[in-house]
Amino acid sequence: MANEVVDHGRRRFLTATTAVVGGIGIVSAAVPFIKSWEPSARAKAAGAPVTQSLAKIEAGQLLIVSWRSLPVFVLNRTAAQLATLPQVDSRLVDPKSNGVSADQQPKYAQNEARSIKPEWLVIVGICTHLGCVPDFVPEIKPEPFDPEWKGGFYCPCHKSRYDLAGRVFNGVPAPKNLQVPPYHFIDDSTIQIGVDPKEAG
């Protein structure tokens, strides 16, 4: 019987091809398995915590995150924007958030900035009048709806106004400040909405 010639090149090709196809099969099977660990859309809508990176949010920029089917405004406030907060105290319904709006934020956000870290505002973007979503109007300049505007949120539906801490102005239909949801910082550039700091530990 004659000796058979072995084609080593073809053997290596078939081995490599089999390994690649097998690897693709393993990844294809693993992705749905790993995805199954994430909360479903239904669970998120029901209140599962939402984790959000802050790394790409520039100073002065607003990001809208969905939590419990609600828009949550995450604002990286500038030093100039933070400086306006005490300037409007006399024009607000509850500037210290300890009167009619005492139930609108957790204790750790019951301060002038209404936040854990002054530059980061995290509020539910639903007007406390009739549930509209207010517009973000960050420019510190006179506006047709307020000649002394220092930046903030304006609800065009019924003309309610909130400052850059989500505190409601006097003389508008909205009765309370915008709500601060439970949240905490996982690290310097990541927050989790839906879980208080004490619960996260």
Side-chain angles (χ1 to χ4, degrees), residues 58 81 90 185 190:
E58 297 178 10
Q81 288 173 329
S90 63
F185 283 82
T190 312

Side-chain angles (χ1 to χ4, degrees), residues 78-84 87 137-143 148-152 164:
T78 65
Q81 288 173 329
L82 286 168
T84 68
Q87 297 173 16
V137 186
E139 295 80 16
I140 302 170
K141 66 181 182 70
E143 294 287 351
E148 299 176 52
W149 188 246
K150 303 291 185 189
L164 287 165

Side-chain angles (χ1 to χ4, degrees), residues 70-85:
L70 299 171
V72 174
F73 295 168
V74 180
L75 173 61
N76 185 0
R77 293 178 286 200
T78 65
Q81 288 173 329
L82 286 168
T84 68
L85 298 182

Side-chain angles (χ1 to χ4, degrees), residues 35-53:
K35 283 275 190 193
S36 71
W37 294 347
E38 294 179 6
S40 66
R42 188 174 179 184
K44 286 180 182 177
V50 175
T51 302
Q52 178 62 51
S53 171

Side-chain angles (χ1 to χ4, degrees), residues 1-46:
M1 185 171 177
N3 289 338
E4 291 184 15
V5 178
V6 177
D7 186 345
H8 292 288
R10 184 169 182 227
R11 181 175 286 175
R12 280 194 296 271
F13 173 76
L14 289 173
T15 302
T17 303
T18 303
V20 168
V21 170
I24 292 170
I26 289 170
V27 170
S28 298
V31 168
F33 178 69
I34 292 169
K35 283 275 190 193
S36 71
W37 294 347
E38 294 179 6
S40 66
R42 188 174 179 184
K44 286 180 182 177

Side-chain angles (χ1 to χ4, degrees), residues 52 79 102 117 123 163 185 194:
Q52 178 62 51
K117 295 183 179 184
I123 53 174
D163 75 345
F185 283 82

